[in-house]
Amino acid sequence: RRSPGRRRRRGPVSKGGSPRDGGSMSCQVSVLYFARSAELTGLRCETLSVPRQITSLQLWEEIVKVHPRLAVIRDQVVFAVRQEYVLLGDQLLVLQPGDEVAIIPPISGG
């Protein structure tokens, strides 16, 4: 049974991973950049594929792999995951496909 144009994609699985990926299932999340993080990336938002279970610090490191210039704001950045603030550290996040991750550096120059 072949239907033209269907199920030809063999790349990363966007919804929940697959048994082939060794159990480290991944999902696509929307990453929103604000203030200085938007300046450093040149973006307001993008979709990234990340592990579903990841610490906030590991998530930051995944984003910095894509945008190395963000490393300069590491000590000042705060995440908001599903609109709840999360500090960088060993807090485990369980992400769902489509979750929003906001990168929020300090906005005022105090």
Side-chain angles (χ1 to χ4, degrees):
R1 271 185 163 178
R2 288 189 211 177
S3 53
R6 290 192 174 213
R7 297 187 188 244
R8 290 190 168 183
R9 198 182 271 180
R10 292 278 182 198
V13 179
S14 64
K15 294 207 176 193
S18 74
R20 289 179 290 163
D21 64 12
S24 61
M25 297 183 355
S26 64
C27 65
Q28 290 190 345
V29 296
S30 296
V31 183
L32 309 176
Y33 300 100
F34 294 95
R36 183 87 173 118
S37 66
E39 292 172 19
L40 291 168
T41 62
L43 299 171
R44 288 287 193 190
C45 65
E46 70 180 327
T47 300
L48 294 178
S49 181
V50 297
R52 288 186 70 159
Q53 292 190 15
I54 190 169
T55 68
S56 56
L57 182 57
Q58 290 169 331
L59 179 57
W60 171 251
E61 291 167 350
E62 289 291 318
I63 294 168
V64 170
K65 282 181 193 173
V66 178
H67 300 288
R69 295 179 65 199
L70 288 174
V72 300
I73 61 170
R74 182 206 183 280
D75 294 332
Q76 304 155 349
V77 77
V78 175
F79 280 146
V81 178
R82 293 184 296 271
Q83 300 182 357
E84 291 188 27
Y85 287 111
V86 176
L87 297 175
L88 291 184
D90 59 3
Q91 178 179 349
L92 183 64
L93 304 173
V94 180
L95 301 171
Q96 301 297 320
D99 276 354
E100 283 187 348
V101 176
I103 309 299
I104 306 170
I107 294 173
S108 64

